[in-house]
Amino acid sequence: MGDPAEAVSRRNAEVVRRYLRVFETKEVAEFEELVAEDVLVHGAGIHARGRHYPEGAVLTPGLSDCRVRVDDLFAAGDRVTVAFTLTYTQDRTGRDLTMTGVKSYRLRDGRIVEFWGETDLYGLLRQAGLVPEQIPPL
């Protein structure tokens, strides 16, 4: 029989993979099983509480057909860290836009209760033509 700690790590890694798949399926109702209602969210300059934050990220207007690639994933006990690439279709132009990110999740009883992370939103906006290619000097 396997190590119980290893089994928890594997289960938590699968929860995070399912969480990321919701970005592709847009079935945010699945978050009820995967994400605590009062999840703590840290990143992009915010520290907030509530499942509506990740739901809003999934339902971003103007971007559709999200494809998720897990570039690296490490799970140990109640923590899972993942590096990923999201590729969206920009509705207005039909072009593909990519955004990379790294997030660290804390889980309890098979649900995400807290996560920290950063994504390359500037890169996504640059590809969409919404910010300059180069940051102007001060």
Side-chain angles (χ1 to χ4, degrees):
M1 188 168 267
D3 177 8
E6 191 175 308
V8 168
S9 296
R10 277 194 309 273
R11 180 189 71 190
N12 287 341
E14 183 55 28
V15 168
V16 170
R17 286 182 189 281
R18 286 179 59 202
Y19 170 85
L20 291 171
R21 274 194 296 272
V22 171
F23 282 79
E24 295 178 336
T25 67
K26 300 214 183 292
E27 296 292 332
V28 294
E30 191 171 354
F31 280 172
E32 290 179 24
E33 184 180 327
L34 304 172
V35 181
E37 177 67 37
D38 63 345
V39 64
L40 287 167
V41 179
H42 310 282
I46 67 162
H47 302 280
R49 185 179 293 276
R51 190 185 300 138
H52 62 280
Y53 284 97
E55 287 172 353
V58 167
L59 302 173
T60 301
L63 299 175
S64 59
D65 189 29
C66 180
R67 282 95 62 208
V68 177
R69 184 180 74 218
V70 173
D71 299 314
D72 193 30
L73 186 142
F74 177 78
D78 69 342
R79 305 296 173 123
V80 178
T81 299
V82 62
F84 56 88
T85 301
L86 303 178
T87 302
Y88 292 97
T89 300
Q90 183 183 26
D91 295 341
R92 183 174 49 83
T93 65
R95 289 183 33 222
D96 280 350
L97 308 175
T98 60
M99 179 170 65
T100 57
V102 176
K103 296 210 178 201
S104 181
Y105 301 88
R106 185 170 63 84
L107 293 90
R108 184 181 325 121
D109 300 323
R111 296 176 88 199
I112 298 168
V113 295
E114 187 170 18
F115 66 88
W116 302 258
E118 295 297 332
T119 54
D120 182 20
L121 182 57
Y122 183 84
L124 182 81
L125 294 173
R126 188 184 71 245
Q127 293 168 65
L130 299 173
V131 296
E133 281 291 322
Q134 299 270 312
I135 298 174
L138 296 176

